[in-house]
Amino acid sequence: MRCDKKDLLLYAVTDRTWLGEKTLVQAVEESLKGGVTMVQLREKHLDEETFRREALDLQALCRRYGVPFLINDDVELAAAVNADGVHVGQHDMEAGQVRAKIGPDKLLGVSAQTVEQALKAQAAGADYLGVGAVFPTGTKDDADAVSYNTLKAICEAVDIPVVAIGGIGAHNVGQLVGSGICGIAVVSAIYAQPDIQQAARTLLRKTQEMVSQ
């Protein structure tokens, strides 16, 4: 199961900050109904057993919708629950080691901020790159800014698909036109919205318009 560009069109990254009365499964299901094409489970503060149960629940949900399910950072958990893949940052396990652990058939996403990092990740076996933050973001405190020109240069330098991440929403996704990305990864643009399903639907439409131009 390697990376299909259409799976990266609207890539949702979970964040329980905005759940309110909802469970994470409910929120993710609403986003899937709205057209999300890939889901990444990101948890920084859950104990191991709760995280594992949550991963299994979300994986079952994503399989029902036929959408790839990835886990952020936790390579051991991704392997243990047989997730579709894993996404790692520059400060996590090195991409080549991750590939060796998860095997040849799982998806491997790697965060990159420079052409050099992007080429290195591709050489180490990454299936796709997450590049950002392309706009200012409040979701991640340590997100370094990546300019439009750098984003474009990365897309031109690699043969694997690239998604942009960081501060993207329905109001500014059109600014990424012509960069070469095949989709966007978002957190608050979906999960912080009062109507998650509608937010996903609108964002999907605007992203399709942006990548097709």
Side-chain angles (χ1 to χ4, degrees):
M1 148 143 199
R2 298 304 283 266
C3 213
D4 191 323
K5 278 185 176 179
K6 69 175 178 5
D7 291 336
L8 293 166
L9 191 62
L10 184 55
Y11 183 148
V13 181
T14 67
D15 188 332
R16 56 184 46 255
T17 315
W18 296 291
L19 288 180
E21 301 293 304
K22 290 177 184 147
T23 66
L24 192 63
V25 168
Q26 285 170 331
V28 171
E29 181 152 29
E30 285 176 29
S31 70
L32 288 163
K33 284 178 177 169
V36 158
T37 56
M38 191 181 266
V39 173
Q40 180 194 127
L41 174 61
R42 185 164 77 188
E43 288 290 1
K44 299 291 183 190
H45 310 294
L46 277 190
D47 66 86
E48 206 173 317
E49 181 50 32
T50 311
F51 192 8
R52 192 184 72 83
R53 282 202 307 271
E54 193 171 76
L56 288 167
D57 288 346
L58 281 183
Q59 174 169 272
L61 176 68
C62 289
R63 293 224 164 126
R64 273 211 332 266
Y65 281 84
V67 165
F69 171 68
L70 282 76
I71 291 175
N72 185 57
D73 294 354
D74 197 327
V75 181
E76 308 292 341
L77 180 65
V81 303
N82 196 27
D84 296 312
V86 67
H87 186 95
V88 293
Q90 287 294 318
H91 305 298
D92 302 316
M93 189 185 290
E94 188 273 323
Q97 289 177 288
V98 179
R99 175 55 77 201
K101 265 189 178 298
I102 63 175
D105 301 324
K106 299 291 185 186
L107 287 174
L108 172 56
V110 179
S111 299
Q113 280 81 38
T114 65
V115 170
E116 185 188 10
Q117 289 174 356
L119 289 168
K120 195 173 164 195
Q122 176 175 269
D127 291 300
Y128 73 90
L129 300 172
V131 176
V134 293
F135 299 116
T137 173
T139 309
K140 219 166 177 231
D141 305 332
D142 59 349
D144 293 326
V146 173
S147 70
Y148 177 91
N149 288 342
T150 299
L151 176 64
K152 193 168 187 218
I154 288 171
C155 291
E156 288 166 355
V158 296
D159 302 318
I160 54 177
V162 174
V163 292
I165 189 167
I168 304 168
H171 64 294
N172 61 10
V173 66
Q175 293 174 35
L176 300 172
V177 71
S179 60
I181 60 171
C182 65
I184 59 169
V186 295
V187 188
S188 59
I190 290 178
Y191 294 119
Q193 306 311 307
D195 187 336
I196 290 173
Q197 189 174 331
Q198 187 54 50
R201 194 174 289 127
T202 301
L203 209 43
L204 180 67
R205 190 187 76 246
K206 293 196 170 198
T207 306
Q208 281 168 328
E209 288 167 5
M210 181 269 297
V211 297
S212 63
Q213 282 181 50

